[in-house]
Amino acid sequence: MPRSFIIASLLVGVLGLGQAGAASTYKIVGVVAGDTLNLRQQPGVNSKVLYKLPADTSGISLTGRTVQVGKTRWAEIKYQGKVGWVNQRYVAAADMKATGKTASVSLTKADAKTVAKETKETKVVARAPMPKPAGSWILACGNTSPFWKTEILPKSINLYQGGDYAVNVPITYKNQEHGANKLASVTVVKGARGQDNVKLTIKYSGQCRSSLFKRRVSFKVTGSMNDEKLSGCCYSYPVK
C-alpha cells in the first residue's frame, strides 16, 4: 500500500472527518483499476450495497460521521446525490499530490505521535492476494450473504470481504484434530497482519450446500474476519 495513502487515511481518522482545515472534496484511493468500492446503506460488510464506486472516483464529500465496526473505521459520504458508508481507509483528500506528500494539515504533537505509530504498524499491510503455489493444496471457504471468501495457503491466507478489498495475511496459528482414516475432522486457523485478521473453525460435515461455490462441499466453517462473525462452507483442491 502506498505510504501516502496510509498517512492520508490516518490523518482523516485522527483529525475527524469534515473538520475545518481538511479538504472539502475527497476521492477513492487504494482500489485497483477496473475494480469498485461498495457504498453501503449502513457501516459494516453485512449492510446492503447501494452503489459501486469505480476506482479513482472523485467529487466525494463527507458528512462528518464515522463509526468503528470491529477494527474497521467506516465513514459516511455523499456522491452524486447518494449517501452511504465506505471503509474509511479508501478515502483521501482530493488535493493529495502525486509526489507522495499529503495535503498540508496542522497536527498537535500528540496527534503526530499517533500518526507515526499507526503508520509504522500498518505500512506492511499487503493489499493484494498471494498467488497460489503450484503443487500445493488450497482450502477455500466462503459464503454469499454476506459475501466473504478465504483461500488458505500453506503459510498464509487470502481474504476477500464484502467485495471491498483483497489482502493476504500470514498464518499465526493452525491446529488440526484427525478422525477416522486420518481425515481432518476439525481445523482451527488464524491469521493477522496490521488491521486485518481472520479466525476460522472448519469442521468436516460430509456435505455443506455452498451458495458461493454452487455445489455441495465437505466442510462447514464458522469464525470471523476483521472481527465480524461469518459462517459458510469450505472445500479443498490441488493447484496444478
Side-chain angles (χ1 to χ4, degrees), residues 7-18 22 26 62 66 75 88 91-93:
I7 296 176
S9 297
L10 291 171
L11 289 176
V12 172
V14 170
L15 297 178
L17 295 175
Y26 293 78
L62 308 174
T66 65
Q88 181 178 304
V91 181

Side-chain angles (χ1 to χ4, degrees), residues 196-215:
D196 294 295
N197 63 84
V198 61
K199 302 176 184 178
L200 299 176
T201 298
I202 302 156
K203 297 182 179 181
Y204 178 78
S205 65
Q207 62 178 12
C208 181
R209 182 63 183 177
S210 172
S211 56
L212 179 62
F213 305 123
K214 299 185 180 351
R215 59 190 178 89

Side-chain angles (χ1 to χ4, degrees), residues 74-172:
W74 293 78
E76 188 179 52
I77 68 169
K78 294 181 180 179
Y79 176 69
Q80 295 186 352
K82 304 175 182 67
V83 179
W85 296 82
V86 297
N87 187 328
Q88 181 178 304
R89 72 175 67 188
Y90 295 104
V91 181
D95 57 355
M96 279 182 58
K97 297 180 180 179
T99 59
K101 296 181 180 179
T102 58
S104 177
V105 183
S106 284
L107 291 177
T108 65
K109 289 183 179 180
D111 286 341
K113 288 182 179 179
T114 300
V115 170
K117 178 177 181 294
E118 293 184 349
T119 300
K120 182 178 180 181
E121 292 176 349
T122 59
K123 67 182 180 181
V124 298
V125 175
R127 287 288 131 200
M130 181 74 70
K132 296 181 278 294
S136 64
W137 278 81
I138 306 300
L139 185 61
C141 305
N143 207 340
T144 57
S145 184
F147 172 82
W148 69 276
K149 180 182 175 182
T150 62
E151 294 168 336
I152 303 175
L153 313 181
K155 296 182 179 181
S156 63
I157 308 171
N158 289 331
L159 311 182
Y160 306 83
Q161 186 177 21
D164 293 323
Y165 62 91
V167 46
N168 178 265
V169 302
I171 291 175
T172 57

Side-chain angles (χ1 to χ4, degrees), residues 36-54:
T36 59
L37 177 68
N38 288 333
L39 179 69
R40 296 184 178 275
Q41 189 173 50
Q42 299 294 334
V45 297
N46 295 329
S47 180
K48 178 182 178 181
V49 175
L50 301 176
Y51 185 74
K52 291 184 178 294
L53 299 165

Side-chain angles (χ1 to χ4, degrees), residues 175-179 183-188 200-204 219:
N175 183 65
Q176 286 187 328
E177 297 179 8
H178 294 85
L183 180 69
S185 57
V186 179
T187 299
V188 178
L200 299 176
T201 298
I202 302 156
K203 297 182 179 181
Y204 178 78
F219 301 90

